[in-house]
Amino acid sequence: MADRSKAEVVLDLFGVNIEQQGRGFYVSLELLAIARGVYESTQLELLDPGVDVVSYRRSSHDFARRVAAGAAIEPETLQAAVDGDDETLATLQALTSSLLVQIPGRRKSPSWYNSHLYPFVGELIHYDAAERWKAGLPRGTKVPHIERYVLRGGGGWAYRVLRSDPDGARRTVTRGGLIELIHDGETSLGEIARALRAHDYDTEDDAFPDRSEAEINTFEKLSPWPEYLRRGVNSIVSRTQVPRAKRIESLMHWTPYCLARHQLHLARTSLDLSTETVFVDMLKDASPLRRLSQDGLDGFRKNIVNAIIARATTLHSEAVASANDEGARRYARHMTQSKAGTGSPVAFFSESLAAVGALNATTGRRHFTMKPPMLEAMVCASLAPGQEEELYAFCSRLFDEYRVIVDDRTAGEHDLTVDIDASILARNLDAFRSRLAATGLLTQYSDATSIVRGEPR
């Protein structure tokens, strides 16, 4: 039997089994796969808060993904799909490979089951799959099999947070906005996706009961991030005047960011530490601000390690007190820092932030920043549709809600300029303003007023 003691420690601490394998965009892909599956099953209402176990249809889209990755495909399947036409196959490979989600930090081309289609239209949304042996086939033959492989539960956390929203009116609006994103697109791309899906090796007709989603604890009383996720997703999906692809992109970035920050907040809370402050560096050159941001990231990663060790120690002590020698032995393995025990959850945190553009890079000496897609997602999640806000007021909002520091004025108001000169933060604000303007989210007027809005112009 596999030792699940590490998963038990992580689940007890964070409410969801956070692992490196499910980092970054995989969180959003899983959320959309669950939502699309519920929508397709027609057995449940999307975001229904009353069900104990969410059930949904799963599709692998394995044929399109195998074509995109150049993986081996059964001759009879290819014959049925392209009628033996090599030119058609090459065209499909070019098309599907251009639709794959880019996962930063990969050093080599991934296998097809590590490749996922970007959910531009509902027909492209799919669940997870892997290659498994199958009885009756030649020795050494593996075939696609629908199962959880890289979708490790982060999207389940997001879905549970959204469906447990106590604000019923907001949940209804969010449901309608999500349906707009996950229903069939009725486009040429959607027709192609449906045709490719018809050639999948593994398919499921019955709804899959996701018992892991039912086991998730959102820890809303300990962290504000479930509420930030709800409010942000509601704001993003409600922007019907914004193109569908842009709303999907913002959702893809906002959801992993919320889970990573939720993870950090719970870690620091468990250690009785104060709420974290994130210094975002928008400058091109190195500065004391960058060093402060780098040190902050290093400290946050250590917080997560220490929180896991502390929780494992607590569980070990409880096992000893109850004379559970086997449990004590298993938890003892995670009472020190290790790649197997603490490395994966810590990697989820930093690699998720890097994937969505909240860090400058996936490896090396890293610091907090906001690349354009992440910046757009944060603005769209923070301001209601049609809402506008003066730049300094928006910067104050970023700190009050997310503890993100960008400018000198907000830092000064909260006595955060002890370790850094205010002039550097003033230059940082100028860079922040320029990036907002470049993305169409800020308008500057002749009286030097700068207005931030959630819809690009």
Side-chain angles (χ1 to χ4, degrees):
M1 181 179 295
D3 181 9
R4 291 183 48 81
S5 55
K6 187 194 77 169
E8 292 168 6
V9 173
V10 173
L11 184 64
D12 189 69
L13 178 59
F14 301 120
V16 57
N17 190 15
I18 295 174
E19 298 289 349
Q20 178 186 18
Q21 199 169 3
R23 67 197 181 278
F25 294 125
Y26 292 133
V27 175
S28 310
L29 290 170
E30 184 177 10
L31 168 62
L32 290 171
I34 294 173
R36 169 77 180 189
V38 172
Y39 176 75
E40 283 191 319
S41 70
T42 69
Q43 297 179 7
L44 298 175
E45 183 181 50
L46 187 65
L47 302 185
D48 187 344
V51 298
D52 294 328
V53 177
V54 174
S55 297
Y56 49 89
R57 289 187 63 187
R58 302 185 299 177
S59 64
S60 64
H61 244 316
D62 65 77
F63 177 74
R65 290 158 44 179
R66 287 188 288 163
V67 169
I73 301 176
E74 307 80 12
E76 58 273 18
T77 302
L78 278 178
Q79 178 65 29
V82 302
D83 197 24
D85 188 341
D86 291 340
E87 185 173 343
T88 300
L89 178 60
T91 301
L92 282 178
Q93 186 166 15
L95 172 63
T96 53
S97 62
S98 70
L99 298 174
L100 296 179
V101 177
Q102 299 300 310
I103 305 298
R106 282 178 171 164
R107 294 181 173 85
K108 60 181 181 180
S109 298
S111 55
W112 70 264
Y113 45 84
N114 277 316
S115 304
H116 291 254
L117 303 173
Y118 203 94
F120 292 110
V121 293
E123 295 92 333
L124 287 170
I125 296 173
H126 58 88
Y127 195 72
D128 214 349
E131 286 188 332
R132 296 294 179 226
W133 311 108
K134 184 175 181 180
L137 295 178
R139 183 177 180 83
T141 302
K142 291 184 177 181
V143 296
H145 182 257
I146 296 175
E147 63 180 71
R148 172 167 287 148
Y149 184 69
V150 294
L151 306 187
R152 307 304 295 179
W157 171 84
Y159 188 83
R160 186 166 183 82
V161 167
L162 293 177
R163 78 179 182 95
S164 61
D165 189 349
D167 187 336
R170 180 173 62 185
R171 188 174 62 250
T172 299
V173 173
T174 300
R175 177 188 300 121
L178 277 175
I179 290 175
E180 283 294 311
L181 300 184
I182 64 176
H183 70 70
D184 286 352
E186 303 299 334
T187 63
S188 298
L189 179 58
E191 292 179 8
I192 293 173
R194 280 197 301 272
L196 294 173
R197 182 170 163 176
H199 298 285
D200 285 351
Y201 182 90
D202 195 14
T203 60
E204 288 183 347
D205 294 325
D206 297 330
F208 164 75
D210 192 346
R211 303 191 187 284
S212 62
E213 191 268 0
E215 297 174 352
I216 290 172
N217 191 333
T218 59
F219 286 131
E220 297 178 47
K221 294 183 179 180
L222 298 178
S223 168
W225 284 97
E227 176 60 20
Y228 294 156
L229 175 72
R230 291 175 183 139
R231 190 179 61 200
V233 170
N234 178 267
S235 180
I236 290 168
V237 302
S238 300
R239 297 183 188 278
T240 54
Q241 71 276 39
V242 174
R244 181 178 181 175
K246 182 63 69 174
R247 280 176 279 162
I248 290 173
E249 182 180 37
S250 293
L251 189 64
M252 289 282 287
H253 286 75
W254 182 244
T255 308
Y257 182 82
C258 287
L259 180 52
R261 291 293 307 272
H262 176 67
Q263 177 193 12
L264 173 62
H265 190 94
L266 290 176
R268 290 178 63 87
T269 298
S270 72
L271 296 172
D272 294 324
L273 298 174
S274 60
T275 303
E276 68 277 5
T277 297
V278 175
F279 286 87
V280 170
D281 178 15
M282 306 295 289
L283 300 173
K284 294 181 179 180
D285 302 320
S287 68
L289 173 60
R290 181 160 301 176
R291 290 194 293 274
L292 189 62
S293 184
Q294 291 169 339
D295 292 344
L297 176 61
D298 292 342
F300 297 156
R301 286 168 55 87
K302 291 177 182 176
N303 293 156
I304 295 173
V305 170
N306 292 337
I308 294 172
I309 292 173
R311 186 56 54 92
T313 302
T314 298
L315 294 174
H316 174 267
S317 299
E318 293 174 352
V320 171
S322 61
N324 181 359
D325 294 338
E326 174 61 20
R329 181 184 62 78
R330 290 164 62 237
Y331 292 130
R333 301 173 185 172
H334 311 296
M335 291 167 56
T336 57
Q337 183 174 352
S338 67
K339 184 176 181 180
T342 60
S344 182
V346 172
F348 173 90
F349 171 73
S350 52
E351 291 183 23
S352 291
L353 293 180
V356 300
L359 296 183
N360 64 307
T362 56
T363 59
R365 192 78 163 108
R366 292 167 289 184
H367 61 268
F368 291 99
T369 188
M370 271 191 266
K371 297 180 181 179
M374 183 64 230
L375 180 58
E376 289 186 48
M378 181 164 282
V379 174
C380 292
S382 303
L383 299 179
Q387 182 181 0
E388 297 181 345
E389 197 162 66
E390 191 273 331
L391 178 60
Y392 276 110
F394 180 73
C395 290
S396 181
R397 175 192 293 271
L398 292 182
F399 178 79
D400 293 340
E401 296 181 356
Y402 314 135
R403 300 288 292 190
V404 167
I405 284 290
V406 174
D407 68 305
D408 54 326
R409 182 183 297 184
T410 304
E413 290 173 351
H414 297 278
D415 298 323
L416 296 172
T417 56
V418 176
D419 297 322
I420 184 171
D421 191 275
S423 63
I424 297 175
L425 285 167
R427 287 197 295 114
N428 196 59
L429 176 63
D430 290 339
F432 183 64
R433 180 190 289 112
S434 298
R435 192 164 296 181
L436 280 170
T439 57
L441 298 173
L442 180 137
T443 301
Q444 301 183 70
Y445 295 94
S446 57
D447 62 352
T449 301
S450 299
I451 300 297
V452 182
R453 59 178 51 83
E455 293 85 17
R457 284 190 178 180

